[in-house]
Amino acid sequence: MKKRLIQAALVWVLTIILAVSAFTILITDPAPVPEKTVGLEEEAEETMQTIQTTLAEKQNVRAAILGDSIAKGYSRDKDLVITPYGNLVMEELAEEDLFSYDLENYGKNGLDCTGMNTDILTDEAVRASISNADVLFITVGSNDLLNTFKSSVREILETETRFRSVDEASEALTQSVAENPMLILKVIEAIQNWDYESFEEQWVQMMETVRSLKKEDTWIVVTNIYNPASNLELPSTMNRVIEEIIRNMNQIMEAHAEEFEYHVADVYHTDVYEHVQEDGIHPDQNGQQIIADRILIHK
């Protein structure tokens, strides 16, 4: 009986600690980030109408897709083809405005902003494609956060396992937390120390390279980040921390939109996270269509 009372007391204390930790994390600004852009949808609607008119005047439109597995159209089922949002957008615009188009997809599974700068934007074929593109779609950023999560879990669990996916890392974490609840605080602390400055530096470097290569009238669409961990079985406190980080990352993207002349498609405020594959992260075909519809916002 005494042992059960002690265990109950420990659980109660841990609950209080987690609650206080969550409150502290949520009210603390982890990094100086700009305010969210006002009127994003209205601006996108006007821009879309202008771009559609411009593309309609061309006989053949050249488009390129840069980014991660979302941009690539990743399918967990090898027998099922997922058409990425970039293709869906171009198909609809071409059908309406009666132009032909060429589309090159350089999406790469697991790509983060650093990889975009070191591996993708240094490739001569990619650089040539950007230089010729009338339309450029860019989706990157999710893996910057997810890779940090995987490495943090690996370090805290002191395991040699290199997690192939976030859900694999999440499962390992859940099992370990069941045995040692205090581990969750260590993971939250590690994620909370997210390096916004490094992310912004990589983002700016990426966009500077794109700007140096693109044509003056190239239409650039950047999709912001939805919560790729919202469907994972993570403790609610950790999920709130991840959500806050994503909001701040999206604000960084929006803050540089005018400087680098790109347009932000606001995927964050959609329900794409409800239309994902079995891994709980990657969009299924309906999810890709939601992203395309967000870009074609005037529809």
Side-chain angles (χ1 to χ4, degrees):
M1 182 67 178
K2 183 177 180 181
K3 184 178 180 181
R4 289 182 180 177
L5 289 174
I6 293 174
Q7 289 176 336
L10 288 174
V11 171
W12 181 81
V13 170
L14 179 57
T15 301
I16 296 298
I17 291 174
L18 288 174
V20 172
S21 175
F23 180 76
T24 302
I25 289 167
L26 290 173
I27 65 172
T28 302
D29 187 6
V33 293
E35 293 295 324
K36 178 176 172 57
T37 303
V38 177
L40 197 60
E41 288 195 12
E42 290 79 0
E43 180 182 344
E45 196 169 326
E46 294 179 5
T47 299
M48 188 66 236
Q49 292 172 357
T50 301
I51 293 302
Q52 188 169 4
T53 301
T54 302
L55 295 180
E57 297 173 353
K58 298 179 181 291
Q59 291 184 340
N60 184 65
V61 175
R62 294 184 176 183
I65 304 174
L66 305 178
D68 53 28
S69 53
I70 297 174
K72 182 179 180 179
Y74 168 83
S75 176
R76 186 168 183 170
D77 182 351
K78 301 303 180 183
D79 297 324
L80 178 65
V81 175
I82 299 289
T83 303
Y85 72 83
N87 295 67
L88 298 173
V89 171
M90 294 307 300
E91 286 173 11
E92 182 165 342
L93 289 177
E95 183 178 351
E96 285 192 4
D97 299 317
L98 303 178
F99 60 76
S100 61
Y101 68 92
D102 298 315
L103 177 63
E104 296 175 305
N105 192 323
Y106 298 101
K108 181 180 179 182
N109 295 342
L111 188 74
D112 58 13
C113 289
T114 300
M116 178 76 87
N117 287 321
T118 59
D119 301 334
I120 304 301
L121 294 179
T122 56
D123 185 287
E124 289 303 321
V126 175
R127 294 170 69 88
S129 184
I130 294 173
S131 297
N132 293 321
D134 300 298
V135 180
L136 186 61
F137 301 102
I138 300 176
T139 296
V140 69
S142 295
N143 288 309
D144 293 70
L145 177 56
L146 296 179
N147 290 341
T148 296
F149 173 74
K150 288 189 291 185
S151 61
S152 296
V153 171
R154 183 169 181 264
E155 180 179 346
I156 289 169
L157 298 187
E158 298 180 348
T159 176
E160 295 298 322
T161 302
R162 291 191 176 276
F163 301 115
R164 292 171 297 177
S165 63
V166 176
D167 50 338
E168 187 177 302
S170 174
E171 183 178 352
L173 176 62
T174 300
Q175 293 175 354
S176 298
V177 167
E179 299 175 1
N180 181 8
M182 295 304 294
L183 288 176
I184 194 66
L185 294 179
K186 292 184 179 181
V187 177
I188 290 174
E189 182 180 4
I191 297 175
Q192 187 188 10
N193 292 327
W194 170 256
D195 190 350
Y196 290 99
E197 183 176 352
S198 177
F199 171 75
E200 187 166 16
E201 287 176 355
Q202 292 295 324
W203 184 266
V204 169
Q205 179 182 338
M206 175 182 71
M207 295 313 305
E208 284 180 340
T209 301
V210 170
R211 181 171 60 182
S212 70
L213 295 170
K214 76 177 186 69
K215 297 188 298 185
E216 184 176 350
D217 61 346
T218 299
W219 176 41
I220 303 177
V221 177
V222 168
T223 62
N224 65 9
I225 306 171
Y226 63 91
N227 187 348
S230 60
N231 293 310
L232 300 179
E233 294 183 0
L234 298 176
S236 59
T237 305
M238 182 183 300
N239 199 38
R240 287 195 293 271
V241 174
I242 292 175
E243 189 77 27
E244 180 69 13
I245 293 173
I246 290 172
R247 285 196 294 267
N248 291 335
M249 292 172 71
N250 285 340
Q251 288 177 355
I252 289 173
M253 294 181 185
E254 292 164 15
H256 292 284
E258 183 176 354
E259 176 186 2
F260 293 107
E261 300 180 322
Y262 59 77
H263 310 283
V264 179
D266 185 16
V267 179
Y268 177 80
H269 290 101
T270 69
D271 61 350
V272 65
Y273 62 88
E274 295 181 356
H275 300 274
V276 293
Q277 300 173 48
E278 289 183 2
D279 60 7
I281 295 178
H282 293 94
D284 58 18
Q285 192 59 71
N286 289 331
Q288 289 283 357
Q289 186 63 58
I290 290 171
I291 298 174
D293 289 342
R294 176 56 63 170
I295 294 173
L296 297 164
I297 198 167
H298 67 292
K299 301 298 181 189

